[in-house]
Amino acid sequence: MEDKVDLIYRGKSYKFPLINGSEDEPAIDIKTLRAQTGLITLDPGYKNTGSCESEITFLDGEEGILRYRGYSIDDLANNTSFIEVAYLLIFGDLPKLDQLQKFEDDIRDYALVDEDFKIILKSFPKSAHPMGILSSLTSALIAFNPSSVDINSEKDFYEAIIILLAKFPVLASWTHRKMKGLPLNYPNYDLSYTDNLAYMIYKMPNKDFRASTTLVSALNKLLILHADHEQNCSTSTVRMVGSSHAGLFPSIASGISALWGPLHGGANQAVIEMLEEIKNDGGDTKKFMAKAKDKNDPFRLMGFGHRVYKNFDPRAKIIKTAADEVLDELGINDPVLEIAKKLEQEALEDPYFVDRKLYPNVDFYSGIIYRALGIPTEMFTVMFAIGRLPGWIAQWKEMRFNKEPIGRPRQIYTGHKHRKV
Ligand code: SDX
């Protein structure tokens, strides 16, 4: 493949290097564009712009392919645990047995959260959205832990990673318990990562709790499927904040806020609210499809469409199968699942959606499983954040180890020319 790209501008020819990724994706390296030509590029939403080179996640939107460090998402979802995938994303390979044992033990040792977090939690109204609480508690982690991370010290950096992975699910479960007015559960040292998460979410003070294999298997799969997704909005936020050499904790707290938006991770909550609205309105999916296609109507089919996937989101396929299994095993007949399947079928046959290559994404079916597992709708995006945490950590680590420059895009000014007061 040609290794240079020619740009002709005002009669002059400029050459720019062409680089190729390990999956042969080509890119024009424009690092010297402005110095050579005085030009910048304009690309709102960065639809055509790569922010970095990364070895962590590969996705092919046209083919519907998603791989973490080379492993396909269905292979990982069916054959590994979430904590193994977290290790894979952060350290580059699946852990050997002794590495996994040490990783899990270290996380257990750091799982206790400072008791003063209960005072912070107590100050929130019960009506507070869990993502707002989680973002605040994660920021508070900074006050109780090193605000910056000495990435040159392998020991300090490893400890910061372990602190986050250990304490995040505790804070997330406490957020849930606070919202429900339930007593907080401490982490259970004898349980695996996902089992312990279920324990902290569901354990009631007046009876024993043992998570069913259905519950742990579904949670494990959902967390793996959400673990990373290359340079999505919240991950780009984590990288951007970290590029100023802000610490790992503040960078993650920023990622939580970006994920909250209904166009991003907040879509899983918006999907269920949309399906409920359709059910309560009589189940007329065609009426809502018409609204989604009407340019004058702000309504969008939540859980549909994707910036990169112009084919099925491979995660949506796995989650759809898991939704059927979980509801079947729990003996739940959820009418919104039928509405979801009807919407999907109609969208796959509708020219508006077909022409724009709008398919169900990761958020379309995940809420149906969370709901079947008894997780409140407002907590769905918190569950997404628990899954995405290792991806954010891995991407932040890569950005800092690659000594990437501070992120600072340019602009094209269209305001007033100089004028006097
Ligand atoms: C996630 O980036 C990631 O990787 C994210 C994520 C991850 O793992 O991190 O995969 C997680 O965020 C999944 C997406 C969850 N969001 C939703 O489900 C919200 C609904 N979807 C849309 O808002 C939209 O599809 C986006 C935000 C996901 C993508 O928007 P884009 O890429 O900016 O596309 P666009 O808005 O320019 O849409 C292109 C066209 C437009 O129509 P035209 O102007 O060409 O006529 O498609 C239309 C849009 O109006 N369109 C939709 C639609 N999504 C796009 N029309 C109706 N319903 C929709 N859902």
Side-chain angles (χ1 to χ4, degrees):
M1 187 186 278
E2 170 60 32
D3 59 359
K4 291 274 182 199
V5 172
D6 283 333
L7 172 72
I8 311 292
Y9 175 56
R10 291 183 175 163
K12 211 174 156 214
S13 166
Y14 302 88
K15 289 195 177 305
F16 295 95
L18 189 69
I19 57 173
N20 285 291
S22 48
E23 292 285 346
D24 290 329
E25 304 148 287
I28 307 172
D29 179 341
I30 57 165
K31 284 200 269 297
T32 63
L33 175 69
R34 192 168 185 273
Q36 282 195 56
T37 70
L39 289 167
I40 66 164
T41 57
L42 184 62
D43 187 20
Y46 312 112
K47 294 191 176 188
N48 305 283
T49 300
S51 62
C52 62
E53 293 176 88
S54 177
E55 300 177 350
I56 299 169
T57 291
F58 169 70
L59 65 85
D60 180 323
E62 282 65 34
E63 299 300 319
I65 293 170
L66 173 59
R67 299 189 198 122
Y68 297 159
R69 301 281 188 185
Y71 295 97
S72 71
I73 194 64
D74 53 327
D75 195 1
L76 292 168
N78 294 319
N79 300 301
T80 63
S81 68
F82 172 61
I83 208 63
E84 286 177 291
V85 168
Y87 188 99
L88 168 69
L89 287 168
I90 295 169
F91 299 108
D93 287 303
L94 284 167
K96 295 181 178 57
L97 214 49
D98 59 328
Q99 292 168 321
L100 177 60
Q101 193 60 60
K102 176 178 183 329
F103 195 52
E104 287 186 315
D105 289 346
D106 291 342
I107 287 170
R108 286 190 181 99
D109 290 342
Y110 275 87
L112 284 180
V113 168
D114 192 296
E115 284 292 302
D116 286 348
F117 270 87
K118 291 184 176 178
I119 301 168
I120 302 172
L121 196 59
K122 215 168 177 61
S123 65
F124 287 103
K126 263 214 190 75
S127 58
H129 193 288
M131 284 296 276
I133 300 176
L134 182 63
S135 179
S136 310
L137 293 181
T138 306
S139 291
L141 265 182
I142 303 162
F144 291 84
N145 294 283
S147 59
S148 67
V149 178
D150 175 4
I151 64 161
N152 301 311
S153 155
E154 202 173 312
K155 178 178 170 301
D156 288 0
F157 192 53
Y158 178 79
E159 186 182 34
I161 291 169
I162 292 296
I163 288 170
L164 262 176
L165 288 171
K167 299 183 190 304
F168 201 74
V170 182
L171 299 180
S173 67
W174 284 10
T175 301
H176 164 65
R177 304 287 287 195
K178 156 83 187 180
M179 206 177 72
K180 304 291 272 183
L182 291 169
L184 307 179
N185 285 318
Y186 287 104
N188 182 329
Y189 198 92
D190 301 326
L191 298 177
S192 72
Y193 195 86
T194 308
D195 224 326
N196 182 38
L197 172 65
Y199 174 86
M200 294 187 290
I201 290 175
Y202 294 101
K203 168 81 173 69
M204 291 304 165
N206 53 351
K207 53 185 174 182
D208 283 343
F209 174 79
R210 196 87 194 105
S212 69
T213 44
T214 304
L215 170 60
V216 176
S217 163
L219 276 184
N220 194 59
K221 197 168 274 190
L222 284 164
L223 293 176
I224 288 172
L225 292 170
H226 287 83
D228 193 54
H229 212 240
E230 56 143 88
Q231 305 312 314
N232 60 85
C233 178
S234 55
T235 299
S236 298
T237 302
V238 170
R239 276 182 171 254
M240 176 66 89
V241 171
S243 72
S244 72
H245 288 197
L248 179 59
F249 294 74
S251 303
I252 298 297
S254 313
I256 295 169
S257 300
L259 186 72
W260 193 355
L263 295 188
H264 189 16
N268 54 17
Q269 172 177 341
V271 165
I272 286 293
E273 289 165 350
M274 172 188 75
L275 294 173
E276 281 286 349
E277 186 189 355
I278 295 172
K279 182 184 72 147
N280 298 335
D281 182 76
D284 180 357
T285 49
K286 291 212 182 307
K287 173 180 164 185
F288 284 83
M289 291 281 284
K291 280 169 62 72
K293 297 188 289 187
D294 177 356
K295 288 299 164 208
N296 300 317
D297 189 326
F299 175 81
R300 283 198 154 186
L301 213 54
M302 301 314 278
F304 262 80
H306 198 276
R307 170 59 56 76
V308 180
Y309 286 124
K310 301 307 170 191
N311 193 326
F312 254 93
D313 181 333
R315 301 166 296 176
K317 278 187 191 170
I318 297 170
I319 294 176
K320 180 181 175 182
T321 308
D324 274 329
E325 289 162 1
V326 168
L327 267 66
D328 192 40
E329 281 169 31
L330 297 177
I332 296 172
N333 171 30
D334 187 345
V336 299
L337 177 59
E338 296 323 307
I339 292 175
K341 288 181 176 176
K342 207 161 152 248
L343 268 180
E344 177 186 351
Q345 196 47 49
E346 285 166 8
L348 293 179
E349 291 156 6
D350 185 300
Y352 173 95
F353 287 85
V354 174
D355 296 348
R356 291 168 180 79
K357 298 185 167 55
L358 303 177
Y359 289 88
N361 58 50
V362 65
D363 294 306
F364 190 60
Y365 286 103
S366 55
I368 289 165
I369 299 183
Y370 288 136
R371 196 158 98 132
L373 299 176
I375 290 172
T377 307
E378 297 79 7
M379 278 292 292
F380 290 0
T381 312
V382 169
M383 298 306 291
F384 192 144
I386 297 171
R388 186 52 51 91
L389 179 63
W392 284 334
I393 293 171
Q395 298 272 352
W396 190 93
K397 179 169 178 277
E398 181 177 74
M399 176 274 303
R400 288 300 304 276
F401 274 69
N402 289 350
K403 297 185 175 14
E404 290 186 12
I406 186 169
R408 203 275 185 221
R410 286 187 173 267
Q411 63 162 27
I412 293 294
Y413 176 70
T414 55
H416 289 285
K417 291 170 103 46
H418 182 232
R419 53 182 173 163
K420 290 252 186 249
V421 172

